[in-house]
Amino acid sequence: DEITLRAISAFQPNTVFSEPFEVFADRVNENGAGIVQIDVIGGPDAMPPFEIGNALRNGVVDMANTTAVYHANLVPEGLAMTLTSLSMSELRANGGYDLLDGIHREKAGIHWLGRLTENVPYHIYLSDAPENLEFEGLKIRSVPIYQAFFKGLGINTMQTSPGEVYTALERGTIDGYAWPATGVFDLGWQEKTKARVDPGFYQVETGVYFSEKTWEKLNDEQRVFLESQMLQIESESDRLIPLAAADIARQTEEGIAPLSLPEAEAAAFIEMSVEEGWKPVLAANPEAGPKLREMFSK
Amino acid sequence: MIWWITLSILGAVLAGLFATGLPVALAFLGTNIVGAWIFLGGTSGLDQLVRNASGAVSSFSLVPIPLFILMGELLFHCGLAFKAIEAVERMLNRLPARLACVTVVGGTAFSALSGSSIANTALLGSTLSQDMMKRGYSTTLSLGPAMATGGIAVLVPPSTLAVMLGSLSGISITQLLIGGIVPGFLMAAGFLLYVILVGVFDPNSAPRQDTVRVYTFRERYVPFLRDVVPLFGIFVAVIGGMLSGIATPTEAAALGAMAAFVATICYGKLSWDALRASLAETAKVSISILFIIVASTTFSQILSFSGATTGMLSLVTAVDPTPMTLILSMLLILLLMGCFIDQVSMMMITVPLFIPLAQSAGIDLVWLGLMMLVVIELGLLTPPFGILLMVMQGAVKSVPLVQIYKAALPFILIEILVLGLMIFWPELTTFLPSLTR
Amino acid sequence: MNWTMRCFGAAAAVGFAAIAIVVSADVVIRNLAIARIPWISEFTEYLLMVSTFLGAPWLLHAHGHVQVDILPRALSQSNARRLAVVANVAGLAITGLLFWRACLVTFDTWQLGSLVFKNLVFPEWYLLAPILICLGMCFLEFALRLTLKDYNQ
Ligand code: NA
Ligand code: NA
């Protein structure tokens, strides 16, 4: 017997991070006739992104395209997926996936089905291309996941609402912002962006999350089908590499110059990002935290 | 459930609760209970409603609202606004409907400072509108311009909604911002002309005491220099803070409130009573607005969740897709939505469908985006739920809502007229943006 | 009751004033490079939310909320009074139902021990307490209006 699952997305339709889920849902609907169907009921207009975790926990929706960053209130350990340098196939093999899925189920009644976005790093973007890049004193719009890292670099972190970033860049209230390698063009901020700092850091995580209540109601055939569809899309995660590269090339075309850190500096940059990024995760879960870090790091 | 049944059920509940005279915010919450129970699923749905409502005003983009209101209330209760208005009255005493003209011009100037229509109208409503009511201006002249120019804040940069539309749709933000200038000023000109015509043909609507005595040059201009010019210091603080990059538009609003506070001290007008009154009024007006935003935001979310809005959008794809009918049906849908739904939600709901459709029909996106902005702006004024109407009612509590609807009507018609011009004369909107391409 | 409500109003007013002071101070501190306070914007957002929810019952008590007054004004005095009873009963039901759910949600969140995970880290139920208090006080206001038969608009 066929079941129709109600899905919500944390991302606007037709944007970089809703696209992988749209592909996933389309495939399920195509191959899952008679087994399972997905009805995507809406995006952030229907459910505030930071509430999706609770909606899953209470069974208000059956499944969601979201990121663990949005439900860090319930599962702060989920940030590990943003910090990891391992691929999903490695994490599934070494038990990292099972550990984090278990934490999700136990703490929040959420089942983590799998990952949709991999291999897309975050970058710092600047409204001016400086001759000599100095992080000290730069005013950069940032969000909590990389706040501590930026502070360590001497950056003056700014919390600017998305609606004001454009004006703030134009007027110099902020010198830049951090954003994934892809998606800058979705926001229109490229008009006020002149440089991108390389290397990138972390990697954007979006994934498919289930309400555990719903998941328990599914029969074996339905679960196996959904898992196989998920594994299929995870196995194609390399396709995001050329996509990110294409966006980077387009950035160059539109006048966003790459600013590469010298090798030694780049290594220190990455090391600090990882070190600072793990601190809140370890603080939130002193027991499982170290194990998680071990499994999610190369 | 079929979308129009959903829409009629929720619409009927909302209208029924509105009619009882229950506070608008609670009427929305009551409707939300019904919607959450049906579509979000029983008691878990109600729990989610409580959570969503709790998070709805924790947004930095709403911060300018109380700040600009505080600025206005400080100037009003400490008597600075009154003195400044008095001085302007004297200087312009030959102009019919002077203060209404001042509201239009001042409101347009202020829209170049603020990206928030609500803040704009609340500021003008708590100063100039209240003052005009006291001086015996008609409600149309007292209240209309403050609401109408609040809408201009959406078109003239900076504009939070224009930036948001650009971000959601991929239309160039720069071109949207620049393109908004001409329609914005056209509207302002239309409002000004209308206000003057009313003043000329209906002298009762704008009383003049000056028939009795004629002011000397000195009597006319000294108060202006003394009472008005220094107040520009506040605007310097706000604009300067923004243009120099010291502050974001939101932060500039805070600087404006602090500058107003300093101004009241400098004029020696600050008293404990005045300060208390300003703070109490700020709380009243801000809370009445923000509480409605809490309830109406969650209403839009539930409407979206129920599939009613997506169903409504399917009307667009049903029409014969010649570019003009497509544009007209899109604008019509936005106009309908604007009667019930808040502006940000309208954009989030419609943009993902409209933009690809328009692209495939070969419609100029900047042109379409600007017309969408004008219609979204109209939604701020259209009954039954127009947030600027509610803002005005919060600011002048004594006036019946019907009078406020009536006061907005002529200005709505002028905006529709400008929209018509934009539709049939695209160069009007696309000329300035084309210079930046 | 009157006095309690006024305290809520005063708290809201002070909250809004604090927003102006905090945001301005942040601009000064940032531009003079005295210190870095990454949590200021978050804190301001919470202030806005708390002020709104604490002030709403006071405004209800003061009959200061925006309402569509078309029908009440069109009716005769006695009918308008009956309509006011209907409105207050509806208000009582709406705020009562939501207050009950808000209690359960807040308790559930407290039990779960979830944390708000931004620059400021604190228990999530803190954010639900203001709306809980708001709904409870509004419920009380409607209950008092109905028992005291005080429906003046
Ligand atoms: Na503006
Ligand atoms: Na409206």
Side-chain angles (χ1 to χ4, degrees):
Chain A
D1 35 340
E2 187 183 280
I3 186 170
T4 300
L5 300 170
R6 304 196 307 164
I8 201 99
S9 174
F11 310 99
Q12 275 285 326
N14 309 325
T15 57
V16 178
F17 299 115
S18 82
E19 186 267 348
F21 183 69
E22 285 159 20
V23 172
F24 176 76
D26 286 347
R27 284 192 197 165
V28 167
N29 290 340
E30 199 174 309
N31 306 326
I35 311 169
V36 60
Q37 295 287 296
I38 295 175
D39 174 20
V40 184
I41 40 185
D45 50 314
M47 184 65 69
F50 282 96
E51 276 303 324
I52 291 179
N54 282 305
L56 288 171
R57 177 170 172 261
N58 298 325
V60 172
V61 292
D62 297 317
M63 59 186 295
N65 170 34
T66 181
T67 159
V69 175
Y70 285 151
H71 56 253
N73 56 330
L74 296 167
V75 193
E77 297 87 343
L79 298 180
M81 290 181 270
T82 303
L83 305 173
T84 191
S85 48
L86 271 64
S87 71
M88 264 324 268
S89 53
E90 288 170 302
L91 286 172
R92 284 190 186 268
N94 77 359
Y97 165 81
D98 288 322
L99 177 63
L100 194 53
D101 178 42
I103 294 175
H104 266 94
R105 286 175 183 250
E106 183 199 347
K107 290 185 94 168
I110 294 174
H111 167 48
W112 175 34
L113 188 67
R115 183 163 186 159
L116 289 168
T117 305
E118 279 183 76
N119 302 316
V120 178
Y122 291 89
H123 283 273
I124 295 174
Y125 295 88
L126 300 173
S127 57
D128 274 312
E131 291 275 313
N132 300 305
L133 178 61
E134 278 286 345
F135 289 120
E136 184 69 43
L138 277 183
K139 289 173 287 183
I140 306 287
R141 188 243 180 195
S142 62
V143 297
I145 31 166
Y146 31 74
Q147 200 97 44
F149 164 44
F150 281 11
K151 255 175 121 177
L153 290 172
I155 283 172
N156 222 336
T157 54
M158 299 271 290
Q159 253 196 313
T160 315
S161 67
E164 280 193 348
V165 168
Y166 184 90
T167 313
L169 284 170
E170 187 170 47
R171 307 257 163 79
T173 320
I174 57 175
D175 302 313
Y177 54 93
W179 204 259
T182 54
V184 172
F185 296 100
D186 280 351
L187 294 151
W189 297 347
Q190 79 278 3
E191 291 170 15
K192 297 291 163 201
T193 308
K194 288 280 163 286
R196 178 194 64 253
V197 177
D198 289 339
F201 57 97
Y202 301 157
Q203 52 168 330
V204 181
E205 178 266 330
T206 72
V208 179
Y209 294 83
F210 262 84
S211 169
E212 203 182 13
K213 284 181 190 166
T214 307
W215 186 252
E216 299 301 331
K217 273 187 236 151
L218 299 181
N219 63 31
D220 284 343
E221 187 196 10
Q222 290 163 337
R223 286 188 213 168
V224 169
F225 170 74
L226 285 166
E227 277 164 352
S228 71
Q229 291 294 315
M230 191 73 235
L231 287 176
Q232 176 60 36
I233 207 155
E234 269 181 12
S235 72
E236 298 161 17
S237 67
D238 282 354
R239 77 197 172 92
L240 292 172
I241 299 174
L243 273 181
D247 249 41
I248 296 281
R250 186 171 158 208
Q251 285 179 14
T252 315
E253 247 167 64
E254 305 221 358
I256 302 179
L259 283 178
S260 298
L261 295 177
E263 207 164 312
E265 233 178 283
F269 178 86
I270 296 291
E271 197 188 311
M272 184 189 279
S273 74
V274 173
E275 208 50 50
E276 292 294 339
W278 277 101
K279 273 184 191 165
V281 178
L282 297 173
N285 192 340
E287 289 150 43
K291 180 127 192 267
L292 206 59
R293 176 161 188 184
E294 192 193 310
M295 284 179 145
F296 277 70
S297 306
K298 274 231 165 81
Chain B
M1 208 178 286
I2 306 168
W3 64 269
W4 57 265
I5 297 181
T6 308
L7 216 54
S8 351
I9 292 176
L10 294 182
V13 174
L14 188 65
L17 288 173
F18 271 175
T20 63
L22 194 66
V24 167
L26 290 171
F28 267 119
L29 282 180
T31 316
N32 292 348
I33 290 178
V34 177
W37 183 272
I38 301 176
F39 301 105
L40 268 60
T43 51
S44 320
L46 295 187
D47 295 353
Q48 193 63 53
L49 167 62
V50 171
R51 290 183 153 282
N52 290 7
S54 155
V57 277
S58 308
S59 161
F60 204 59
S61 52
L62 297 175
V63 169
I65 295 173
L67 295 178
F68 278 126
I69 294 173
L70 179 60
M71 175 173 142
E73 296 291 350
L74 277 170
L75 295 178
F76 186 73
H77 287 280
C78 295
L80 294 194
F82 185 79
K83 279 178 77 177
I85 293 166
E86 177 78 35
V88 172
E89 266 254 310
R90 272 192 193 194
M91 209 182 70
L92 301 176
N93 68 348
R94 295 216 184 88
L95 194 67
R98 307 162 296 293
L99 287 183
C101 294
V102 170
T103 314
V104 172
V105 173
T108 309
F110 194 72
S111 70
L113 295 183
S114 127
S116 160
S117 308
I118 295 174
N120 207 332
T121 296
L123 176 74
L124 294 171
S126 58
T127 49
L128 275 160
S129 295
Q130 284 201 14
D131 202 77
M132 275 189 274
M133 294 290 287
K134 265 196 221 154
R135 289 173 197 261
Y137 280 64
S138 70
T139 44
T140 306
L141 286 188
S142 306
L143 311 183
M147 292 188 281
T149 52
I152 293 183
V154 172
L155 290 171
V156 176
S159 160
T160 331
L161 283 180
V163 170
M164 187 152 196
L165 181 64
S167 293
L168 288 171
S169 63
I171 304 172
S172 158
I173 297 172
T174 314
Q175 297 194 10
L176 278 180
L177 287 175
I178 292 177
I181 296 175
V182 169
F185 283 117
L186 261 183
M187 276 179 201
F191 298 157
L192 196 61
L193 186 67
Y194 171 76
V195 162
I196 292 176
L197 288 179
V198 170
V200 169
F201 290 105
D202 182 11
N204 288 334
S205 64
R208 277 198 240 199
Q209 283 97 13
D210 50 322
T211 43
V212 190
R213 67 171 289 218
V214 177
Y215 292 111
T216 64
F217 182 82
R218 199 185 147 80
E219 279 173 320
R220 275 171 111 185
Y221 291 99
V222 166
F224 183 77
L225 290 174
R226 190 188 58 214
D227 299 328
V228 180
V229 172
L231 283 185
F232 284 127
I234 297 173
F235 288 91
V236 170
V238 179
I239 305 184
M242 256 167 33
L243 291 186
S244 61
I246 291 172
T248 63
T250 300
E251 292 167 340
L255 294 182
M258 293 310 276
F261 183 71
V262 171
T264 58
I265 295 175
C266 293
Y267 278 89
K269 291 283 187 182
L270 189 71
S271 67
W272 175 237
D273 281 342
L275 182 64
R276 213 170 53 180
S278 322
L279 286 177
E281 275 307 308
T282 303
K284 267 188 192 166
V285 181
S286 307
I287 292 166
S288 66
I289 297 166
L290 293 169
F291 204 42
I292 291 178
I293 290 178
V294 167
S296 65
T297 309
T298 37
F299 176 74
S300 305
Q301 285 163 359
I302 289 172
L303 215 54
S304 219
F305 199 97
S306 72
T309 38
T310 0
M312 191 167 170
L313 292 183
S314 63
L315 285 179
V316 173
T317 41
V319 298
D320 165 41
T322 66
M324 194 43 87
T325 45
L326 191 62
I327 289 176
L328 290 178
S329 55
M330 285 181 194
L331 297 182
L332 192 68
I333 285 191
L334 278 169
L335 200 61
L336 281 176
M337 281 188 167
C339 294
F340 292 99
I341 306 180
D342 71 274
Q343 278 54 45
V344 173
S345 304
M346 276 165 73
M347 281 190 194
M348 291 208 288
I349 293 163
T350 55
V351 162
L353 181 74
F354 284 7
I355 299 304
L357 274 178
Q359 239 158 0
S360 62
I363 296 167
D364 182 342
L365 290 185
V366 175
W367 178 47
L368 177 72
L370 285 164
M371 291 189 294
M372 283 175 72
L373 270 180
V374 170
V375 181
I376 287 167
E377 185 208 317
L378 265 172
L380 295 163
L381 289 177
T382 49
F385 176 61
I387 188 85
L388 293 187
L389 303 166
M390 307 285 160
V391 169
M392 188 48 84
Q393 212 205 3
V396 285
K397 207 64 190 72
S398 55
V399 182
L401 195 59
V402 176
Q403 294 275 359
I404 296 178
Y405 286 169
K406 272 190 200 152
L409 188 66
F411 298 92
I412 294 177
L413 293 178
I414 293 170
E415 291 192 10
I416 292 179
L417 205 70
V418 172
L419 181 65
L421 280 177
M422 291 170 75
I423 294 177
F424 295 108
W425 192 13
E427 292 76 19
L428 198 69
T429 27
T430 53
F431 174 69
L432 275 185
S434 71
L435 296 179
T436 70
R437 275 178 205 176
Chain C
M1 190 63 184
N2 209 5
W3 192 82
T4 320
M5 285 297 192
R6 285 175 70 172
C7 284
F8 276 89
V14 170
F16 289 124
I19 293 175
I21 296 168
V22 168
V23 175
S24 304
D26 184 40
V27 174
V28 173
I29 288 171
R30 186 179 68 233
N31 285 291
L32 298 181
I34 298 170
R36 294 182 193 133
I37 316 175
W39 48 263
I40 282 279
S41 325
E42 266 167 57
F43 181 69
T44 316
E45 290 175 0
Y46 299 141
L47 262 181
L48 192 70
M49 187 265 281
V50 170
S51 306
T52 303
F53 285 129
L54 289 190
W58 159 69
L59 201 58
L60 182 68
H61 185 70
H63 294 276
H65 277 293
V66 172
Q67 64 205 71
V68 179
D69 54 8
I70 297 169
L71 195 56
R73 279 184 199 259
L75 294 176
S76 71
Q77 210 167 14
S78 60
N79 281 336
R81 225 178 136 73
R82 282 187 203 116
L83 189 67
V85 176
V86 173
N88 283 307
V89 169
L92 188 79
I94 291 165
T95 51
L97 184 60
L98 288 177
F99 175 62
W100 170 53
R101 293 318 303 185
C103 286
L104 296 179
V105 170
T106 311
F107 181 72
D108 176 52
T109 308
W110 171 72
Q111 248 191 343
L112 189 69
S114 55
L115 298 175
V116 173
F117 225 74
K118 296 191 181 171
N119 287 301
L120 292 169
V121 177
F122 57 91
E124 197 185 355
W125 69 267
Y126 288 10
L127 290 183
L128 291 164
I131 195 171
L132 175 83
I133 295 169
C134 171
L135 290 167
M137 291 302 287
C138 289
F139 175 72
L140 213 61
E141 167 68 21
F142 282 120
L144 278 179
R145 277 191 202 175
L146 286 166
T147 44
L148 301 176
K149 300 197 182 339
D150 167 28
Y151 313 122
N152 63 324
Q153 298 288 323

